[in-house]
Amino acid sequence: MTDKAFLDSIKWTDDGLVPAIAQDAKSGRILMMAWMNRESLQLTADEGRAVYWSRSRQQLWRKGESSGHTQIVSEIRLDCDEDVIVLQVEQLGGMACHTGRESCFYRVLKDGQWVAVDPVLKDPKEIYA
Amino acid sequence: MTDKAFLDSIKWTDDGLVPAIAQDAKSGRILMMAWMNRESLQLTADEGRAVYWSRSRQQLWRKGESSGHTQIVSEIRLDCDEDVIVLQVEQLGGMACHTGRESCFYRVLKDGQWVAVDPVLKDPKEIYA
């Protein structure tokens, strides 16, 4: 892909980033939200797998590079304000979260407290061993 | 609700905001992403309907206040990094987008271009008349 026009139409933050939401294409479960810069979005489109920008490490983050939990991307959408991305993904390994859960959104607000309601599928020590 | 501890556990941006993703509780469709400050998240929890913070207008934004397209909130989730919210909502009027579409994510990346693939359900002029 050589046409970069689709990157130019995005309203990047001052840091050159755009939030990207990963949704499980089959179950519809929202798995995580991370950030992308121009290069990571281009790579995601080219490679067909989610490549984010790690703000903490300040480097490209090929999701699954250490865990094996790659996200195969079947669709990329943009919102009306052109400042948020949604990815439809197949989540390899069945878990997106570094805590070993399917989704990073495993806590629910109940009676004024965040309560973890989703099971840990795999011990993180095993994931990142 | 008087216990504000659930607000303190959120990692707010330097501007005091957190991104909030609204998902249709029935269809699983991701409808939009907007931002919340402490007050808007507290109000969302208290009132059971989505209240965002409008960055452009710099004021509270009760979703649907001008369109009638209120979002009834059935669940509020927080992610592992404590910096993103997901709302499960019932979207009144069946459309979340100011363009008159069900979802703000109506454009798909195809052959290097963003292509609008979802129908306009109602003319925005009628929505905001």
Side-chain angles (χ1 to χ4, degrees), chain B residues 38-49 51 60 62:
Chain B
R38 284 181 68 99
E39 187 182 5
S40 64
L41 179 53
Q42 177 75 62
L43 287 169
T44 298
D46 287 350
E47 300 181 2
R49 57 174 179 161
V51 181
L60 287 175
R62 281 181 167 78

Side-chain angles (χ1 to χ4, degrees), chain B residues 13 16 18 22 24 39-41 45 55 61 66 68 70 88 100 121-122:
Chain B
T13 67
V18 67
D24 188 291
E39 187 182 5
S40 64
L41 179 53
R55 295 181 301 170
W61 166 31
S66 56
T70 301
Q88 294 297 323
L121 303 175
K122 193 172 183 180

Side-chain angles (χ1 to χ4, degrees), chain A residues 23 28 76-77 79 105 107, chain B residues 23 28 77 79 105 107 109:
Chain A
Q23 181 174 33
I76 303 175
R77 287 192 179 231
D79 76 334
F105 298 94
R107 278 179 286 203
Chain B
Q23 181 175 33
R77 286 192 180 233
D79 75 334
F105 298 94
R107 280 179 285 204
L109 185 60

Side-chain angles (χ1 to χ4, degrees), chain A residues 36 39-52 73 76 87:
Chain A
M36 291 186 169
E39 187 182 7
S40 64
L41 180 52
Q42 177 74 62
L43 287 169
T44 298
D46 287 350
E47 300 181 2
R49 59 175 177 159
V51 181
Y52 301 102
V73 175
I76 303 175
L87 309 174

